Amino acid sequence: MQAPDRLAAPTRQDPAGGTAAQLTADRTTESAPSARLRPRHLTMIALGGIIGASLFVGSGSVIRTVGPAALFSYAIGGALVVLVMRMLGEMSTNRPVVGSFMEYARDGLGNWAGFTIGWLYWYFWVGVVAFEAVVVGRIFHEWFPSVPDWTFALAGMLVFTFTNLMSLRSFGETEFWLASIKVTTIVVFLGVGTLYVLGVIPGSTGSISNITDHGFMPHGWTAVFNGVAVVIFSYFGTEIVTMAAAESDQPAKGVAKATNTVVWRILLFYVGSVAILLMVVPWDELPAKVSPFAFAFGRFGLPGAEQVMNAVVLTAALSVLNSGLYSGSRMLFALSRHGYAPRWVEDRNRAGVPWKAILLSTVVGYVAIAANYVAPKDVFDFIMNSAGCVALFVYAFVAVTQWRLRNRMSAQERAGLTLKMWLHPWLNAVVLAAVGLIVVLMAFDPDAAPQVWLSLGALALLLAVYPFVRRRATARATRDGGAAVGGTADGDAAHDGEPSPSAAQLT
């Protein structure tokens, strides 16, 4: 018996009697069951995917800007992510697929939606991978100042390119251990911080009253909502588990578990750790150039706290670099299946890894790294800003897609859902309104406005390019003797009733 192939092309009957999967069989390699992700990989990807350098370092900036009311910013942003993950969880448990929300947007809204959000998502992660590589270079340069930081950035890219190329399991194992370090750091901080606040640790100056004694909301509700616009991007990455689950032994179970636990993960890791931080150190005493967690660990009496946290931030950056290469390459692979990307992107090695998709993603990353050192305030900033609102675009597409797909279901299909979105469709409307509010707030913020306009420009460009891509995809499918994969000559309406494959169908 042949091993199941979870990355195979969609199975569709063509006029000649063949299928799209058969037409591409000579360009794919089946992955063995032993190469798939295990439940422990998915668990740690779900746990660690929400913890990044934005928490260890960026939280200090949010707290100094908003004050202790940053707790509200993190809670409101976290609630929005919980709702989006619940919607995505409903769709993913019903039909796990590698392309995740790109495939669902394509089914629910049309080919144009899948093409647009898929390419935006890929572009976002390419930029993030380059950014994290630069962070890795800077941290190593602090430890080894005689070596140029670009050397370490390049080395980081090469190492994790190789890790992703080796096998799916090597990605999973690497992410498991990197995420374990992040999760352990947060758990230790929460435990020791609680003891410090309770006065168990000698010399403690922590107190619950530190949250309110120095002014709880010094800059009002406007600052709180502006803080939401900042912290919402800290949570982006939680959706990766829905993509990884499609390449696991139990995809639906993995997605359901990750979705059901996202509430306590956000409350514990973000809201909880920020609350402990505010109790340990009054918000107006946090230094600007030191990680707030490093400063807090210093209060606990940890020797070399700043260097220890630098090491943790390094693992966080490496983790994002690793998972970014994974998610970007899988999205590119999914785009290619429908004719939205070059056909050769679908090629995989003997381990079943889409190696060309990985290399294409890293090539752009290398260019971005080079741009950072040649013109750091021009090309690199443009790349990051033009993808700055992708998280919000993804959330909006997920909300509308789940709304549309649920409405299409029969009563029997709805009853068969193992995971359901709460208060459908009212909470969908809440998410869309919140996304709209955040975009408006960003547009009126001088620092964030470039992200809004450049991201909207990237969105407009993709919408303008789509008709040409659709015609090319149709022509490609016609040459293969099959129905159009990426669109039809009759337009997106012809896509209705032609869903993307489920994980079960892919096996």
Side-chain angles (χ1 to χ4, degrees):
M1 180 180 293
Q2 290 183 323
D5 182 2
R6 295 189 182 275
L7 286 178
T11 301
R12 295 199 186 132
Q13 194 70 29
D14 70 21
T19 65
Q22 293 167 340
L23 291 171
T24 59
D26 61 330
R27 294 184 287 108
T28 60
T29 304
E30 293 185 336
S31 56
S34 60
R36 296 186 204 133
L37 296 174
R38 295 288 188 252
R40 68 183 179 88
H41 295 136
L42 292 182
T43 298
M44 200 53 67
I45 288 172
L47 289 174
I50 204 170
I51 303 172
S54 56
L55 172 60
F56 293 122
V57 180
S59 56
S61 176
V62 175
I63 292 172
R64 286 190 297 273
T65 302
V66 181
L71 286 171
F72 287 155
S73 299
Y74 279 102
I76 294 171
L80 179 60
V81 173
V82 167
L83 295 180
V84 171
M85 281 299 294
R86 186 76 182 186
M87 297 174 201
L88 189 54
E90 176 182 302
M91 296 183 288
S92 297
T93 52
N94 186 46
R95 185 161 48 84
V97 64
V98 172
S100 189
F101 52 84
M102 185 278 286
E103 297 284 7
Y104 307 136
R106 177 176 171 271
D107 292 343
L109 304 177
N111 289 305
W112 68 271
F115 168 82
T116 303
I117 202 63
W119 273 111
L120 280 175
Y121 188 75
W122 176 82
Y123 183 60
F124 171 85
W125 279 113
V126 165
V128 168
V129 164
F131 175 80
E132 297 299 337
V134 171
V135 171
V136 169
R138 289 173 180 170
I139 293 175
F140 272 114
H141 181 66
E142 289 184 12
W143 295 338
F144 307 98
S146 61
V147 182
D149 52 356
W150 65 265
T151 305
F152 294 113
L154 181 61
M157 284 289 289
L158 290 172
V159 168
F160 285 95
T161 298
F162 178 73
T163 299
N164 275 263
L165 286 173
M166 282 183 62
S167 67
L168 176 64
R169 180 63 63 83
S170 66
F171 154 76
E173 285 295 329
T174 302
E175 191 59 27
F176 176 85
W177 291 109
L178 290 174
S180 296
I181 295 173
K182 297 187 294 182
V183 172
T184 300
T185 301
I186 289 296
V187 171
V188 170
F189 174 79
L190 290 171
V192 178
T194 299
L195 295 177
Y196 185 85
V197 171
L198 294 176
V200 175
I201 296 178
S204 171
T205 59
S207 171
I208 296 176
S209 64
N210 279 340
I211 293 181
T212 56
D213 286 352
H214 296 251
F216 180 74
M217 195 180 293
H219 306 296
W221 280 103
T222 301
V224 171
F225 286 109
N226 282 330
V228 174
V230 175
V231 304
I232 194 68
F233 297 100
S234 302
Y235 295 121
F236 202 52
T238 54
E239 78 292 335
I240 292 177
V241 70
T242 65
M243 302 179 71
E247 295 188 82
S248 68
D249 292 327
Q250 300 172 311
K253 183 178 179 180
V255 171
K257 184 177 180 180
T259 303
N260 287 328
T261 59
V262 71
V263 176
W264 71 259
R265 283 186 283 131
I266 286 176
L267 287 175
L268 182 65
F269 294 149
Y270 272 89
V271 180
S273 62
V274 170
I276 293 294
L277 190 61
L278 290 167
M279 296 178 199
V280 171
V281 186
W283 73 274
D284 52 359
E285 294 181 14
L286 286 173
K289 296 184 178 181
V290 179
S291 163
F293 285 83
F295 191 74
F297 272 117
R299 288 282 180 97
F300 300 157
L302 176 66
E306 186 172 349
Q307 293 306 317
V308 171
M309 281 309 302
N310 274 342
V312 173
V313 171
L314 174 63
T315 63
L318 292 174
S319 174
V320 174
L321 199 162
N322 185 44
S323 58
L325 283 176
Y326 170 82
S327 55
S329 63
R330 272 20 178 218
M331 183 59 76
L332 192 58
F333 180 93
L335 286 165
S336 179
R337 293 189 308 184
H338 302 298
Y340 302 156
R343 170 179 288 176
W344 50 263
V345 171
E346 296 178 38
D347 292 350
R348 294 181 292 159
N349 59 21
R350 292 183 179 180
V353 173
W355 66 280
K356 290 186 178 179
I358 293 173
L359 290 181
L360 181 57
S361 300
T362 57
V363 164
V364 179
Y366 293 131
V367 172
I369 291 174
N372 178 63
Y373 294 104
V374 174
K377 293 300 180 183
D378 298 318
V379 180
F380 194 76
D381 283 357
F382 174 81
I383 292 174
M384 296 307 300
N385 284 331
S386 57
C389 286
V390 168
L392 297 173
F393 294 159
V394 168
Y395 293 161
F397 270 88
V398 169
V400 176
T401 298
Q402 188 273 334
W403 192 337
R404 181 102 182 259
L405 290 178
R406 171 77 81 85
N407 289 343
R408 284 183 185 175
M409 290 182 178
S410 64
Q412 183 178 4
E413 289 172 329
R414 294 192 190 102
L417 290 173
T418 57
L419 187 72
K420 291 184 179 180
M421 176 59 193
W422 309 297
L423 298 177
H424 173 88
W426 305 110
L427 290 181
N428 297 66
V430 169
V431 168
L432 291 172
V435 168
L437 175 61
I438 293 172
V439 171
V440 171
L441 290 173
M442 291 179 65
F444 284 95
D445 182 345
D447 294 328
Q451 295 182 24
V452 174
W453 301 115
L454 286 174
S455 296
L456 289 175
L459 176 63
L461 177 62
L462 284 170
L463 291 174
V465 168
Y466 170 69
F468 301 98
V469 175
R470 185 183 64 184
R471 283 197 290 270
R472 184 175 179 178
T474 303
R476 188 182 91 174
T478 301
R479 287 195 302 271
D480 288 340
V485 176
T488 67
D490 296 328
D492 284 1
H495 175 66
D496 292 344
E498 189 182 324
S500 303
S502 66
Q505 291 170 328
L506 291 177
T507 59

